[in-house]
């Protein structure tokens, strides 16, 4: 496999704020690579520098073997981008927009085919201003695919969609990888990253704080399962801290979370300690660790507040 | 079709879908011609020359139409689309910025020519205006005026941060150029200080040039000073517009 993208020491500053801080990673051809992080982590800034839309303060970007700053025109022919929010001329119609954007490229997929693939046939003559949020997202994705790009950039492709629409979009994105495309996406949703991505970079405050396959990230953090106790008070918190359990204890809001690879042992101890304190455990759950837990373990914060 | 022509055609198509656009470019100037024609009709404004109000107003309204289409709609439309992020999305495609801008300029230029023809036809057919000068000179003056106001429009768009600010500043500039430029009333009616200011405005110089050619049938030689002035405005605005230009 060859690298489709190589990013080295990428940095972007806005005044005194360093939005992207010395970020390096590479993405292999045909990979679906996810950038995961909370609001303001620097995901969009990173993506838009790679797309050539923003100029980095430092660092280098090689995309498809080309320097992004030197050969922007050739790169534009070969990439497709869905921005975090795409605005088109309100009076433009759906099929018309696809044909128009197609005309900007050397090669273009016929509008009809894209309309069908993205289930927009019914809306082909509708002005873009009249589309629903989900339809607008699909049109933005269709526009990103109009030149049959080798690399596709999707900035929060499913944000704001209902679960059903999200599933539909996941299928389409998974289909891109099957057709040999390299995909870079950003998301706030752990399930999305776990479902779609071959590898995930976790970003926080402009830095990549972890990068691996979803399973690898979970294993590396020493998290196989988490025991969650809802509505636990200060007393129980202190008692668990002092008990020396084989777990990482994190308080998240009014919840206590114990990340562990020995869930049955921890569960037994928790029950015993609560019993000694004369407390009931009305909101207790054990579940497999997710990327959400990885983020919590790495930063001590929830991904989404 | 070349990229430029296709962009211009797309701009035109989108433009025609906006009712407000049609109001400003067509109904608005036509309304003034009809209003003045009916109110003052044959009143002689310059008796010695036999020039009626409508003869005087037609070139003025033509310049006003040029300002609306060339300057006002460009400045407001461009800042709005810039603010919405429309050009950001286009920047991701191989479409060259020159094609985007060229398409807009071409589209507006044809609109200006169309407007001029419609206003002239109305003046001639409904109010018996007689155009004394050469069509070639008129076309030249209108073209120079269109270029000047288009540049001014892009300059105004470059000067402001938001679409709202563009709206404000454009309205101020428009009414200034409209009333001090002698579009409706003879400039001779203005008090001394305003008269001086008026003399250097592009709208004034265009009005004067157009009137001399249209009404008095003069050649380009008689209005070269005015045209030089407009060309000066055009070049300065163009330089400023290029310097301050932003896609987002
Ligand atoms: N044009 C800009 N000017 C100044 N600051 C900016 C600009 N764009 C982004 N920032 C700041 O840079 C930081 C990173 O922003 P960015 O949009 O990359 O985050 P993000 O990870 O995409 O967040 P979100 O999940 O909310 O989309 C934020 O603190 C943001 O306020
Ligand atoms: Mg973002």
């Amino acid at each position: 496999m060859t690298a489709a993208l190589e990013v080295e020491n990428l940095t972007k500053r806005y005044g005194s704020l360093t939005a992207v801080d010395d970020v390096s990673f590479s993405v292999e051809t045909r990979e679906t690579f996810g950038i995961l992080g909370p609001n303001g982590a620097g995901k969009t800034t990173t993506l838009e520098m790679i797309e050539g839309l923003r100029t980095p303060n430092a660092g280098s970007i090689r995309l498809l073997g080309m320097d992004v700053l030197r050969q922007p025109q050739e790169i534009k022919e070969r990439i497709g981008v869905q921005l975090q929010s795409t605005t088109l001329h309100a009076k433009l119609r759906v099929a018309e927009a696809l044909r128009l954007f197609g005309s900007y490229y050397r090669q273009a997929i016929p509008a009809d085919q894209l309309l069908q693939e993205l289930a927009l046939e019914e809306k082909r003559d509708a002005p873009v201003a009249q589309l629903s949020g989900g339809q607008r997202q699909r049109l933005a994705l269709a526009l990103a695919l109009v030149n049959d790009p080798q690399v596709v950039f999707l900035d929060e492709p499913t944000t704001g969609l209902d679960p059903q629409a999200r599933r539909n979009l996941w299928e389409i994105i998974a289909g891109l990888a099957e057709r040999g495309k390299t995909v870079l996406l950003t998301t706030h949703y752990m399930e999305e990253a776990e479902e779609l991505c071959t590898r995930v970079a976790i970003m926080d405050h402009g830095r990549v704080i972890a990068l691996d396959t979803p399973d690898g990230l979970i294993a590396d953090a020493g998290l196989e399962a988490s025991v969650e106790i809802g509505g636990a008070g200060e007393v129980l918190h202190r008692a668990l801290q002092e008990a020396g359990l084989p777990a990482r204890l994190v308080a998240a809001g009014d919840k206590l979370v114990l990340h562990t690879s020995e869930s049955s042992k921890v569960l037994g101890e928790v029950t015993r300690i609560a019993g000694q304190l004369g407390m009931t455990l009305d909101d207790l759950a054990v579940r497999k660790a997710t990327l959400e837990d990885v983020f919590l373990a790495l930063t001590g914060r929830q991904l989404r507040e | 079709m070349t990229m430029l022509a296709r962009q211009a055609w797309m701009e035109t198509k989108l433009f025609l879908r906006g009712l407000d656009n049609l109001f400003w470019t067509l109904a608005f100037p036509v309304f003034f011609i009809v209003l003045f024609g009916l109110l003052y009709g044959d009143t002689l404004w310059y008796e010695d020359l036999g020039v009626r109000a409508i003869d005087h107003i037609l070139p003025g309204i033509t310049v006003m139409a040029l300002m609306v289409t060339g300057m006002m709609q460009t400045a407001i439309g461009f800042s709005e689309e810039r603010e919405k992020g429309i050009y950001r999305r286009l920047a991701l495609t191989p479409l060259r910025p020159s094609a985007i801008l060229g398409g807009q300029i071409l589209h507006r230029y044809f609109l200006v020519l169309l407007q001029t023809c419609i206003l002239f036809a109305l003046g001639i057919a409904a109010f018996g205006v007689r155009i004394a000068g050469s069509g070639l000179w008129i076309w030249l003056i209108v073209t120079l005026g269109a270029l000047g106001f288009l540049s001014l429009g892009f300059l105004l768009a470059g000067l402001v941060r938001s679409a709202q600010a563009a709206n404000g500043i454009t309205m101020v500039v428009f009414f200034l150029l409209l009333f001090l430029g002698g579009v409706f009333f003879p400039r001779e009616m203005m008090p001394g200080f305003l008269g001086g200011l008026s003399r250097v405005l592009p709208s004034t110089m265009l009005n004067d040039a157009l009137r001399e050619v249209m009404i008095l049938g003069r050649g380009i030689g008689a209005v070269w000073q005015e045209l030089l002035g407009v060309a000066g405005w055009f070049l300065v605005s163009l330089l400023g517009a290029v310097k301050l230009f932003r896609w987002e």
Side-chain angles (χ1 to χ4, degrees):
Chain A
M1 282 212 281
T2 51
L5 170 67
E6 288 171 287
V7 171
E8 272 169 30
N9 310 108
L10 197 60
T11 299
K12 177 74 182 178
R13 281 182 289 270
Y14 297 113
S16 63
L17 173 83
T18 306
V20 173
D21 192 359
D22 199 25
V23 162
S24 302
F25 61 88
S26 70
V27 177
E28 303 297 320
T29 303
R30 310 189 61 144
E31 241 193 313
T32 299
F33 187 90
I35 302 178
L36 193 82
N39 286 130
K43 305 182 296 295
T44 299
T45 306
T46 303
L47 228 52
E48 293 188 351
M49 283 192 284
I50 301 169
E51 294 154 6
L53 211 49
R54 303 191 200 196
T55 319
N57 291 104
S60 73
I61 306 165
R62 286 192 77 76
L63 182 53
L64 295 167
M66 290 176 277
D67 184 327
V68 171
L69 295 174
R70 293 236 177 79
Q71 286 171 274
Q73 211 57 19
E74 185 55 34
I75 284 177
K76 284 174 186 174
E77 288 282 355
R78 302 206 213 168
I79 66 170
V81 178
Q82 176 177 1
L83 292 171
Q84 187 162 353
S85 70
T86 300
T87 324
L88 302 168
H89 198 296
K91 300 241 158 51
L92 208 54
R93 306 200 173 117
V94 172
E96 188 177 50
L98 289 171
R99 278 194 301 272
L100 180 68
F101 275 69
S103 77
Y104 298 153
Y105 294 91
R106 281 198 296 257
Q107 54 161 11
I109 296 179
D112 289 324
Q113 185 183 330
L114 288 166
L115 290 171
Q116 193 207 330
E117 280 175 23
L118 288 143
L120 283 167
E121 281 158 313
E122 278 173 33
K123 292 289 163 188
R124 62 178 312 132
D125 293 319
V128 298
Q130 287 174 16
L131 297 180
S132 74
Q135 291 162 347
R136 215 164 289 181
Q137 293 274 59
R138 292 208 296 277
L139 175 59
L141 181 54
L143 288 171
L145 300 178
V146 75
N147 56 330
D148 196 15
Q150 284 170 265
V151 185
V152 184
F153 295 86
L154 309 172
D155 198 351
E156 299 194 19
T158 65
T159 296
L161 300 187
D162 66 47
Q164 180 58 41
R166 172 167 303 146
R167 292 248 154 230
N168 289 343
L169 220 56
W170 284 0
E171 266 171 44
I172 293 168
I173 296 170
L176 296 178
E178 275 159 31
R179 279 188 282 165
K181 300 197 184 306
T182 307
V183 180
L184 254 82
L185 62 84
T186 72
T187 182
H188 292 275
Y189 300 104
M190 299 293 176
E191 324 86 84
E192 187 159 296
E194 291 182 37
E195 170 89 21
L196 294 172
C197 298
T198 47
R199 286 189 306 146
V200 176
I202 298 183
M203 270 189 100
D204 191 32
H205 296 307
R207 291 175 165 273
V208 172
I209 53 173
L211 196 169
D212 203 342
T213 60
D215 289 342
L217 284 170
I218 293 167
D220 279 356
L223 311 169
E224 259 138 48
S226 40
V227 175
E228 290 186 5
I229 312 160
E234 197 49 39
V235 181
L236 182 60
H237 189 180
R238 199 144 340 111
L240 290 175
Q241 264 172 343
E242 286 158 7
L245 299 172
R248 261 181 58 109
L249 176 64
V250 186
D254 70 337
K255 233 189 222 174
L256 290 177
V257 186
L258 293 126
H259 298 293
T260 180
S261 49
E262 296 174 63
S263 56
S264 54
K265 189 167 174 194
V266 169
L267 202 56
E269 284 295 292
V270 167
T271 322
R272 194 180 59 75
I273 292 168
Q276 274 179 358
L277 295 169
M279 295 177 68
T280 58
L281 292 167
D282 299 324
D283 184 4
L284 179 71
V286 185
R287 54 178 183 74
K288 189 172 174 290
T290 65
L291 285 177
E292 197 105 38
D293 302 311
V294 174
F295 187 78
L296 194 61
L298 286 170
T299 66
R301 286 179 290 121
Q302 301 261 40
L303 187 62
R304 276 168 285 150
E305 272 83 43
Chain B
M1 261 204 297
T2 70
M3 209 73 247
L4 190 65
R6 188 160 39 207
Q7 274 305 108
W9 174 231
M10 187 45 81
E11 292 283 349
T12 307
K13 260 209 303 208
L14 294 173
F15 178 88
L16 291 173
R17 285 181 198 161
L19 273 181
D20 49 334
N21 291 330
L22 293 179
F23 169 79
W24 281 105
T25 38
L26 277 182
F28 187 62
V30 161
F31 165 79
F32 276 108
I33 298 279
V34 172
L35 185 76
F36 271 90
L38 294 179
L39 282 183
Y40 299 113
D42 296 336
T43 319
L44 280 179
W45 271 13
Y46 294 88
E47 276 180 48
D48 45 335
L49 298 169
V51 175
R52 303 168 303 154
I54 188 73
D55 300 323
H56 185 82
I57 285 296
L58 180 60
I61 299 294
T62 305
V63 171
M64 180 187 82
L66 239 70
M67 288 199 281
V68 169
T69 309
M71 179 188 79
M72 198 164 102
Q73 292 191 323
T74 303
I76 296 174
F78 188 84
S79 342
E80 274 176 358
E81 299 194 346
R82 181 179 61 195
E83 187 167 285
K84 285 185 194 149
I86 288 176
Y87 301 123
R88 256 187 131 228
R89 182 62 188 84
L90 290 177
L92 292 164
T93 74
L95 184 68
R96 305 231 178 224
S98 57
I100 302 177
L101 277 185
Q104 293 198 358
I105 290 169
L106 214 58
H107 149 69
R108 297 220 164 266
Y109 177 59
F110 280 120
L111 215 56
V112 163
L113 292 185
L114 181 72
Q115 269 179 318
T116 308
C117 291
I118 290 174
L119 294 177
F120 277 35
L122 182 69
I124 294 167
F127 302 105
V129 174
R130 204 180 57 81
I131 292 170
S134 129
L136 182 68
W137 298 144
I138 294 173
W139 169 73
L140 202 81
I141 295 169
V142 167
T143 300
L144 188 62
L147 290 175
F149 286 129
L150 272 163
S151 312
L152 199 54
F154 281 114
L155 172 63
L156 292 177
L159 279 172
V160 295
R161 295 273 122 201
S162 67
Q164 209 184 353
N167 239 306
I169 191 174
T170 306
M171 283 298 167
V172 171
V173 173
F174 174 69
F175 283 110
L176 220 88
L177 291 178
L178 190 67
F179 289 115
L180 294 184
V183 166
F184 295 116
F185 304 104
R187 270 198 300 120
E188 292 77 9
M189 285 167 57
M190 270 179 237
F193 150 71
L194 285 181
L197 174 62
S198 161
R199 202 159 317 138
V200 297
L201 295 180
S203 47
T204 310
M205 296 192 271
L206 265 179
N207 272 326
D208 289 354
L210 209 51
R211 281 181 178 137
E212 297 224 5
V213 173
M214 278 174 68
I215 304 172
L216 305 177
R218 301 251 166 84
I220 212 81
V223 294
W224 68 271
Q225 280 170 313
E226 281 85 355
L227 294 189
L228 210 62
V230 178
W233 270 91
F234 164 49
L235 286 178
V236 171
S237 313
L238 186 67
L239 286 178
V242 169
K243 186 132 181 53
L244 296 175
F245 191 83
R246 282 174 293 122
W247 284 115
E248 53 177 306

